[in-house]
Amino acid sequence: MLKIIKRSGNGSFLAVLKVFGDIPSAGMMSFPKQGVTLALDFPNKGAESEKLFRQLDSIVAEANGRIYCAKDARMPKALFESGYPELENFLKFRDKGISSALSRRLLGE
């Protein structure tokens, strides 16, 4: 990821690296799972940023990773669905009368 970011000429003004242990999360849509997470914040440069993000999304998907929903502003629907295996179970309990920009973008409602 860092090599791709460097090659792109973009830089993150914030970087946080965390290691999560092997304790399973109780929540159906909890973000933490065993492994390493890298949080990066980039300025929005439109198409240039989208190109970089598509490359980074590919790495996340290949690693069976996920993007943290609470910090997301543009995650592709397919990456959301593959990253959160309990999504179908969660949807059974979701109140469709409550909506957000994130739910409209990722769930179409």
Side-chain angles (χ1 to χ4, degrees):
M1 291 185 115
L2 297 178
K3 287 179 184 178
I4 288 172
I5 293 166
K6 183 178 178 182
R7 273 189 298 227
S8 77
N10 290 288
S12 171
F13 50 87
L14 173 70
V16 179
L17 185 68
K18 295 179 185 177
V19 178
F20 293 125
D22 61 355
I23 299 171
S25 215
M28 287 185 267
M29 298 297 288
S30 292
F31 171 72
K33 68 178 188 175
Q34 185 174 9
V36 177
T37 182
L38 176 62
L40 301 167
D41 287 348
F42 293 93
N44 186 347
K45 296 182 178 178
E48 181 182 339
S49 296
E50 280 301 317
K51 179 181 177 187
L52 171 62
F53 297 154
R54 282 191 300 274
Q55 292 174 306
L56 299 177
D57 289 342
S58 294
I59 294 170
V60 171
E62 191 174 308
N64 295 317
R66 61 176 140 221
I67 294 176
Y68 185 27
C69 291
K71 304 282 181 156
D72 172 60
R74 40 92 23 226
M75 174 181 7
K77 184 176 181 175
L79 188 56
F80 173 63
E81 291 171 347
S82 68
Y84 290 89
E86 290 295 319
L87 177 60
E88 288 301 317
N89 290 330
F90 171 78
L91 291 176
K92 295 174 191 172
F93 301 101
R94 184 170 172 265
D95 182 343
K96 291 187 180 187
I98 299 173
S99 180
S100 68
L102 182 124
S103 70
R104 288 187 298 276
R105 180 168 45 89
L106 296 176
L107 303 173
E109 348 179 295

mmCIF file with all atom_site columns, all heavy atoms in Angstrom, residues 2-21:
data_model
loop_
_atom_site.group_PDB
_atom_site.id
_atom_site.type_symbol
_atom_site.label_atom_id
_atom_site.label_alt_id
_atom_site.label_comp_id
_atom_site.label_asym_id
_atom_site.label_entity_id
_atom_site.label_seq_id
_atom_site.pdbx_PDB_ins_code
_atom_site.Cartn_x
_atom_site.Cartn_y
_atom_site.Cartn_z
_atom_site.occupancy
_atom_site.B_iso_or_equiv
_atom_site.pdbx_formal_charge
_atom_site.auth_seq_id
_atom_site.auth_comp_id
_atom_site.auth_asym_id
_atom_site.auth_atom_id
_atom_site.pdbx_PDB_model_num
ATOM 1   N N   . LEU A 1 2  ? 1.869  1.260   0.851  1.00 0.00 ? 2  LEU A N   1
ATOM 2   C CA  . LEU A 1 2  ? 2.696  2.456   0.952  1.00 0.00 ? 2  LEU A CA  1
ATOM 3   C C   . LEU A 1 2  ? 3.454  2.734   -0.341 1.00 0.00 ? 2  LEU A C   1
ATOM 4   O O   . LEU A 1 2  ? 3.618  3.893   -0.723 1.00 0.00 ? 2  LEU A O   1
ATOM 5   C CB  . LEU A 1 2  ? 3.642  2.334   2.146  1.00 0.00 ? 2  LEU A CB  1
ATOM 6   C CG  . LEU A 1 2  ? 2.943  2.245   3.510  1.00 0.00 ? 2  LEU A CG  1
ATOM 7   C CD1 . LEU A 1 2  ? 3.968  2.069   4.629  1.00 0.00 ? 2  LEU A CD1 1
ATOM 8   C CD2 . LEU A 1 2  ? 2.064  3.449   3.770  1.00 0.00 ? 2  LEU A CD2 1
ATOM 9   N N   . LYS A 1 3  ? 3.883  1.694   -1.032 1.00 0.00 ? 3  LYS A N   1
ATOM 10  C CA  . LYS A 1 3  ? 4.564  1.886   -2.318 1.00 0.00 ? 3  LYS A CA  1
ATOM 11  C C   . LYS A 1 3  ? 3.624  2.497   -3.349 1.00 0.00 ? 3  LYS A C   1
ATOM 12  O O   . LYS A 1 3  ? 4.001  3.387   -4.108 1.00 0.00 ? 3  LYS A O   1
ATOM 13  C CB  . LYS A 1 3  ? 5.120  0.556   -2.839 1.00 0.00 ? 3  LYS A CB  1
ATOM 14  C CG  . LYS A 1 3  ? 6.330  0.070   -2.081 1.00 0.00 ? 3  LYS A CG  1
ATOM 15  C CD  . LYS A 1 3  ? 6.803  -1.260  -2.643 1.00 0.00 ? 3  LYS A CD  1
ATOM 16  C CE  . LYS A 1 3  ? 7.949  -1.799  -1.810 1.00 0.00 ? 3  LYS A CE  1
ATOM 17  N NZ  . LYS A 1 3  ? 8.402  -3.114  -2.286 1.00 0.00 ? 3  LYS A NZ  1
ATOM 18  N N   . ILE A 1 4  ? 2.394  2.023   -3.380 1.00 0.00 ? 4  ILE A N   1
ATOM 19  C CA  . ILE A 1 4  ? 1.405  2.552   -4.329 1.00 0.00 ? 4  ILE A CA  1
ATOM 20  C C   . ILE A 1 4  ? 1.098  4.014   -4.006 1.00 0.00 ? 4  ILE A C   1
ATOM 21  O O   . ILE A 1 4  ? 1.000  4.858   -4.899 1.00 0.00 ? 4  ILE A O   1
ATOM 22  C CB  . ILE A 1 4  ? 0.124  1.691   -4.324 1.00 0.00 ? 4  ILE A CB  1
ATOM 23  C CG1 . ILE A 1 4  ? 0.424  0.352   -4.996 1.00 0.00 ? 4  ILE A CG1 1
ATOM 24  C CG2 . ILE A 1 4  ? -1.038 2.404   -5.000 1.00 0.00 ? 4  ILE A CG2 1
ATOM 25  C CD1 . ILE A 1 4  ? -0.679 -0.659  -4.882 1.00 0.00 ? 4  ILE A CD1 1
ATOM 26  N N   . ILE A 1 5  ? 0.958  4.316   -2.734 1.00 0.00 ? 5  ILE A N   1
ATOM 27  C CA  . ILE A 1 5  ? 0.696  5.699   -2.326 1.00 0.00 ? 5  ILE A CA  1
ATOM 28  C C   . ILE A 1 5  ? 1.867  6.596   -2.722 1.00 0.00 ? 5  ILE A C   1
ATOM 29  O O   . ILE A 1 5  ? 1.671  7.674   -3.294 1.00 0.00 ? 5  ILE A O   1
ATOM 30  C CB  . ILE A 1 5  ? 0.435  5.777   -0.805 1.00 0.00 ? 5  ILE A CB  1
ATOM 31  C CG1 . ILE A 1 5  ? -0.876 5.052   -0.463 1.00 0.00 ? 5  ILE A CG1 1
ATOM 32  C CG2 . ILE A 1 5  ? 0.404  7.229   -0.335 1.00 0.00 ? 5  ILE A CG2 1
ATOM 33  C CD1 . ILE A 1 5  ? -1.066 4.769   1.006  1.00 0.00 ? 5  ILE A CD1 1
ATOM 34  N N   . LYS A 1 6  ? 3.069  6.132   -2.470 1.00 0.00 ? 6  LYS A N   1
ATOM 35  C CA  . LYS A 1 6  ? 4.258  6.918   -2.822 1.00 0.00 ? 6  LYS A CA  1
ATOM 36  C C   . LYS A 1 6  ? 4.327  7.155   -4.333 1.00 0.00 ? 6  LYS A C   1
ATOM 37  O O   . LYS A 1 6  ? 4.552  8.277   -4.787 1.00 0.00 ? 6  LYS A O   1
ATOM 38  C CB  . LYS A 1 6  ? 5.523  6.210   -2.344 1.00 0.00 ? 6  LYS A CB  1
ATOM 39  C CG  . LYS A 1 6  ? 6.779  6.990   -2.616 1.00 0.00 ? 6  LYS A CG  1
ATOM 40  C CD  . LYS A 1 6  ? 8.000  6.278   -2.082 1.00 0.00 ? 6  LYS A CD  1
ATOM 41  C CE  . LYS A 1 6  ? 9.257  7.068   -2.428 1.00 0.00 ? 6  LYS A CE  1
ATOM 42  N NZ  . LYS A 1 6  ? 10.456 6.387   -1.956 1.00 0.00 ? 6  LYS A NZ  1
ATOM 43  N N   . ARG A 1 7  ? 4.102  6.095   -5.108 1.00 0.00 ? 7  ARG A N   1
ATOM 44  C CA  . ARG A 1 7  ? 4.137  6.224   -6.571 1.00 0.00 ? 7  ARG A CA  1
ATOM 45  C C   . ARG A 1 7  ? 3.073  7.178   -7.089 1.00 0.00 ? 7  ARG A C   1
ATOM 46  O O   . ARG A 1 7  ? 3.246  7.825   -8.110 1.00 0.00 ? 7  ARG A O   1
ATOM 47  C CB  . ARG A 1 7  ? 3.957  4.864   -7.241 1.00 0.00 ? 7  ARG A CB  1
ATOM 48  C CG  . ARG A 1 7  ? 5.246  4.103   -7.429 1.00 0.00 ? 7  ARG A CG  1
ATOM 49  C CD  . ARG A 1 7  ? 4.983  2.898   -8.275 1.00 0.00 ? 7  ARG A CD  1
ATOM 50  N NE  . ARG A 1 7  ? 4.041  2.037   -7.587 1.00 0.00 ? 7  ARG A NE  1
ATOM 51  C CZ  . ARG A 1 7  ? 4.172  0.724   -7.442 1.00 0.00 ? 7  ARG A CZ  1
ATOM 52  N NH1 . ARG A 1 7  ? 5.174  0.097   -7.986 1.00 0.00 ? 7  ARG A NH1 1
ATOM 53  N NH2 . ARG A 1 7  ? 3.298  0.038   -6.778 1.00 0.00 ? 7  ARG A NH2 1
ATOM 54  N N   . SER A 1 8  ? 1.959  7.267   -6.374 1.00 0.00 ? 8  SER A N   1
ATOM 55  C CA  . SER A 1 8  ? 0.863  8.126   -6.818 1.00 0.00 ? 8  SER A CA  1
ATOM 56  C C   . SER A 1 8  ? 1.178  9.607   -6.623 1.00 0.00 ? 8  SER A C   1
ATOM 57  O O   . SER A 1 8  ? 0.521  10.462  -7.210 1.00 0.00 ? 8  SER A O   1
ATOM 58  C CB  . SER A 1 8  ? -0.427 7.782   -6.072 1.00 0.00 ? 8  SER A CB  1
ATOM 59  O OG  . SER A 1 8  ? -0.404 8.316   -4.755 1.00 0.00 ? 8  SER A OG  1
ATOM 60  N N   . GLY A 1 9  ? 2.161  9.890   -5.775 1.00 0.00 ? 9  GLY A N   1
ATOM 61  C CA  . GLY A 1 9  ? 2.492  11.278  -5.486 1.00 0.00 ? 9  GLY A CA  1
ATOM 62  C C   . GLY A 1 9  ? 1.573  11.909  -4.453 1.00 0.00 ? 9  GLY A C   1
ATOM 63  O O   . GLY A 1 9  ? 1.668  13.089  -4.165 1.00 0.00 ? 9  GLY A O   1
ATOM 64  N N   . ASN A 1 10 ? 0.669  11.122  -3.912 1.00 0.00 ? 10 ASN A N   1
ATOM 65  C CA  . ASN A 1 10 ? -0.237 11.601  -2.867 1.00 0.00 ? 10 ASN A CA  1
ATOM 66  C C   . ASN A 1 10 ? 0.330  11.239  -1.510 1.00 0.00 ? 10 ASN A C   1
ATOM 67  O O   . ASN A 1 10 ? 1.115  10.316  -1.378 1.00 0.00 ? 10 ASN A O   1
ATOM 68  C CB  . ASN A 1 10 ? -1.623 10.957  -3.018 1.00 0.00 ? 10 ASN A CB  1
ATOM 69  C CG  . ASN A 1 10 ? -2.349 11.470  -4.223 1.00 0.00 ? 10 ASN A CG  1
ATOM 70  O OD1 . ASN A 1 10 ? -2.783 12.605  -4.230 1.00 0.00 ? 10 ASN A OD1 1
ATOM 71  N ND2 . ASN A 1 10 ? -2.446 10.654  -5.260 1.00 0.00 ? 10 ASN A ND2 1
ATOM 72  N N   . GLY A 1 11 ? -0.094 11.941  -0.521 1.00 0.00 ? 11 GLY A N   1
ATOM 73  C CA  . GLY A 1 11 ? 0.330  11.627  0.829  1.00 0.00 ? 11 GLY A CA  1
ATOM 74  C C   . GLY A 1 11 ? -0.815 11.820  1.795  1.00 0.00 ? 11 GLY A C   1
ATOM 75  O O   . GLY A 1 11 ? -1.698 12.638  1.573  1.00 0.00 ? 11 GLY A O   1
ATOM 76  N N   . SER A 1 12 ? -0.783 11.047  2.843  1.00 0.00 ? 12 SER A N   1
ATOM 77  C CA  . SER A 1 12 ? -1.788 11.154  3.887  1.00 0.00 ? 12 SER A CA  1
ATOM 78  C C   . SER A 1 12 ? -1.264 12.106  4.954  1.00 0.00 ? 12 SER A C   1
ATOM 79  O O   . SER A 1 12 ? -0.114 12.013  5.359  1.00 0.00 ? 12 SER A O   1
ATOM 80  C CB  . SER A 1 12 ? -2.047 9.773   4.495  1.00 0.00 ? 12 SER A CB  1
ATOM 81  O OG  . SER A 1 12 ? -2.855 9.883   5.640  1.00 0.00 ? 12 SER A OG  1
ATOM 82  N N   . PHE A 1 13 ? -2.113 13.016  5.401  1.00 0.00 ? 13 PHE A N   1
ATOM 83  C CA  . PHE A 1 13 ? -1.697 13.935  6.454  1.00 0.00 ? 13 PHE A CA  1
ATOM 84  C C   . PHE A 1 13 ? -1.900 13.327  7.838  1.00 0.00 ? 13 PHE A C   1
ATOM 85  O O   . PHE A 1 13 ? -1.547 13.937  8.838  1.00 0.00 ? 13 PHE A O   1
ATOM 86  C CB  . PHE A 1 13 ? -2.424 15.287  6.330  1.00 0.00 ? 13 PHE A CB  1
ATOM 87  C CG  . PHE A 1 13 ? -3.910 15.198  6.193  1.00 0.00 ? 13 PHE A CG  1
ATOM 88  C CD1 . PHE A 1 13 ? -4.727 15.137  7.296  1.00 0.00 ? 13 PHE A CD1 1
ATOM 89  C CD2 . PHE A 1 13 ? -4.490 15.183  4.928  1.00 0.00 ? 13 PHE A CD2 1
ATOM 90  C CE1 . PHE A 1 13 ? -6.097 15.065  7.163  1.00 0.00 ? 13 PHE A CE1 1
ATOM 91  C CE2 . PHE A 1 13 ? -5.869 15.119  4.786  1.00 0.00 ? 13 PHE A CE2 1
ATOM 92  C CZ  . PHE A 1 13 ? -6.670 15.060  5.904  1.00 0.00 ? 13 PHE A CZ  1
ATOM 93  N N   . LEU A 1 14 ? -2.439 12.103  7.888  1.00 0.00 ? 14 LEU A N   1
ATOM 94  C CA  . LEU A 1 14 ? -2.608 11.381  9.139  1.00 0.00 ? 14 LEU A CA  1
ATOM 95  C C   . LEU A 1 14 ? -2.445 9.900   8.849  1.00 0.00 ? 14 LEU A C   1
ATOM 96  O O   . LEU A 1 14 ? -2.989 9.387   7.863  1.00 0.00 ? 14 LEU A O   1
ATOM 97  C CB  . LEU A 1 14 ? -4.010 11.629  9.732  1.00 0.00 ? 14 LEU A CB  1
ATOM 98  C CG  . LEU A 1 14 ? -4.383 10.790  10.955 1.00 0.00 ? 14 LEU A CG  1
ATOM 99  C CD1 . LEU A 1 14 ? -3.568 11.230  12.165 1.00 0.00 ? 14 LEU A CD1 1
ATOM 100 C CD2 . LEU A 1 14 ? -5.858 10.883  11.248 1.00 0.00 ? 14 LEU A CD2 1
ATOM 101 N N   . ALA A 1 15 ? -1.692 9.215   9.683  1.00 0.00 ? 15 ALA A N   1
ATOM 102 C CA  . ALA A 1 15 ? -1.534 7.767   9.540  1.00 0.00 ? 15 ALA A CA  1
ATOM 103 C C   . ALA A 1 15 ? -1.534 7.131   10.923 1.00 0.00 ? 15 ALA A C   1
ATOM 104 O O   . ALA A 1 15 ? -0.829 7.584   11.818 1.00 0.00 ? 15 ALA A O   1
ATOM 105 C CB  . ALA A 1 15 ? -0.233 7.437   8.812  1.00 0.00 ? 15 ALA A CB  1
ATOM 106 N N   . VAL A 1 16 ? -2.363 6.104   11.088 1.00 0.00 ? 16 VAL A N   1
ATOM 107 C CA  . VAL A 1 16 ? -2.449 5.384   12.357 1.00 0.00 ? 16 VAL A CA  1
ATOM 108 C C   . VAL A 1 16 ? -2.390 3.888   12.052 1.00 0.00 ? 16 VAL A C   1
ATOM 109 O O   . VAL A 1 16 ? -3.181 3.384   11.254 1.00 0.00 ? 16 VAL A O   1
ATOM 110 C CB  . VAL A 1 16 ? -3.755 5.709   13.114 1.00 0.00 ? 16 VAL A CB  1
ATOM 111 C CG1 . VAL A 1 16 ? -3.836 4.929   14.415 1.00 0.00 ? 16 VAL A CG1 1
ATOM 112 C CG2 . VAL A 1 16 ? -3.887 7.204   13.357 1.00 0.00 ? 16 VAL A CG2 1
ATOM 113 N N   . LEU A 1 17 ? -1.471 3.203   12.680 1.00 0.00 ? 17 LEU A N   1
ATOM 114 C CA  . LEU A 1 17 ? -1.306 1.763   12.513 1.00 0.00 ? 17 LEU A CA  1
ATOM 115 C C   . LEU A 1 17 ? -1.671 1.088   13.834 1.00 0.00 ? 17 LEU A C   1
ATOM 116 O O   . LEU A 1 17 ? -1.166 1.474   14.892 1.00 0.00 ? 17 LEU A O   1
ATOM 117 C CB  . LEU A 1 17 ? 0.143  1.446   12.135 1.00 0.00 ? 17 LEU A CB  1
ATOM 118 C CG  . LEU A 1 17 ? 0.477  0.012   11.804 1.00 0.00 ? 17 LEU A CG  1
ATOM 119 C CD1 . LEU A 1 17 ? -0.202 -0.411  10.509 1.00 0.00 ? 17 LEU A CD1 1
ATOM 120 C CD2 . LEU A 1 17 ? 1.987  -0.150  11.673 1.00 0.00 ? 17 LEU A CD2 1
ATOM 121 N N   . LYS A 1 18 ? -2.559 0.107   13.779 1.00 0.00 ? 18 LYS A N   1
ATOM 122 C CA  . LYS A 1 18 ? -2.986 -0.623  14.979 1.00 0.00 ? 18 LYS A CA  1
ATOM 123 C C   . LYS A 1 18 ? -2.919 -2.114  14.705 1.00 0.00 ? 18 LYS A C   1
ATOM 124 O O   . LYS A 1 18 ? -3.136 -2.553  13.579 1.00 0.00 ? 18 LYS A O   1
ATOM 125 C CB  . LYS A 1 18 ? -4.422 -0.275  15.367 1.00 0.00 ? 18 LYS A CB  1
ATOM 126 C CG  . LYS A 1 18 ? -4.639 1.153   15.784 1.00 0.00 ? 18 LYS A CG  1
ATOM 127 C CD  . LYS A 1 18 ? -6.102 1.389   16.123 1.00 0.00 ? 18 LYS A CD  1
ATOM 128 C CE  . LYS A 1 18 ? -6.364 2.843   16.426 1.00 0.00 ? 18 LYS A CE  1
ATOM 129 N NZ  . LYS A 1 18 ? -7.794 3.096   16.684 1.00 0.00 ? 18 LYS A NZ  1
ATOM 130 N N   . VAL A 1 19 ? -2.675 -2.869  15.765 1.00 0.00 ? 19 VAL A N   1
ATOM 131 C CA  . VAL A 1 19 ? -2.692 -4.328  15.687 1.00 0.00 ? 19 VAL A CA  1
ATOM 132 C C   . VAL A 1 19 ? -3.828 -4.813  16.580 1.00 0.00 ? 19 VAL A C   1
ATOM 133 O O   . VAL A 1 19 ? -3.901 -4.457  17.756 1.00 0.00 ? 19 VAL A O   1
ATOM 134 C CB  . VAL A 1 19 ? -1.354 -4.937  16.160 1.00 0.00 ? 19 VAL A CB  1
ATOM 135 C CG1 . VAL A 1 19 ? -1.418 -6.451  16.122 1.00 0.00 ? 19 VAL A CG1 1
ATOM 136 C CG2 . VAL A 1 19 ? -0.205 -4.415  15.317 1.00 0.00 ? 19 VAL A CG2 1
ATOM 137 N N   . PHE A 1 20 ? -4.731 -5.618  15.998 1.00 0.00 ? 20 PHE A N   1
ATOM 138 C CA  . PHE A 1 20 ? -5.836 -6.187  16.755 1.00 0.00 ? 20 PHE A CA  1
ATOM 139 C C   . PHE A 1 20 ? -5.530 -7.640  17.084 1.00 0.00 ? 20 PHE A C   1
ATOM 140 O O   . PHE A 1 20 ? -4.999 -8.379  16.251 1.00 0.00 ? 20 PHE A O   1
ATOM 141 C CB  . PHE A 1 20 ? -7.148 -6.130  15.950 1.00 0.00 ? 20 PHE A CB  1
ATOM 142 C CG  . PHE A 1 20 ? -7.667 -4.738  15.718 1.00 0.00 ? 20 PHE A CG  1
ATOM 143 C CD1 . PHE A 1 20 ? -7.921 -4.283  14.446 1.00 0.00 ? 20 PHE A CD1 1
ATOM 144 C CD2 . PHE A 1 20 ? -7.914 -3.879  16.781 1.00 0.00 ? 20 PHE A CD2 1
ATOM 145 C CE1 . PHE A 1 20 ? -8.412 -3.010  14.218 1.00 0.00 ? 20 PHE A CE1 1
ATOM 146 C CE2 . PHE A 1 20 ? -8.397 -2.595  16.576 1.00 0.00 ? 20 PHE A CE2 1
ATOM 147 C CZ  . PHE A 1 20 ? -8.648 -2.159  15.290 1.00 0.00 ? 20 PHE A CZ  1
ATOM 148 N N   . GLY A 1 21 ? -5.892 -8.049  18.291 1.00 0.00 ? 21 GLY A N   1
ATOM 149 C CA  . GLY A 1 21 ? -5.674 -9.422  18.731 1.00 0.00 ? 21 GLY A CA  1
ATOM 150 C C   . GLY A 1 21 ? -6.728 -10.369 18.187 1.00 0.00 ? 21 GLY A C   1
ATOM 151 O O   . GLY A 1 21 ? -7.539 -10.013 17.327 1.00 0.00 ? 21 GLY A O   1
#
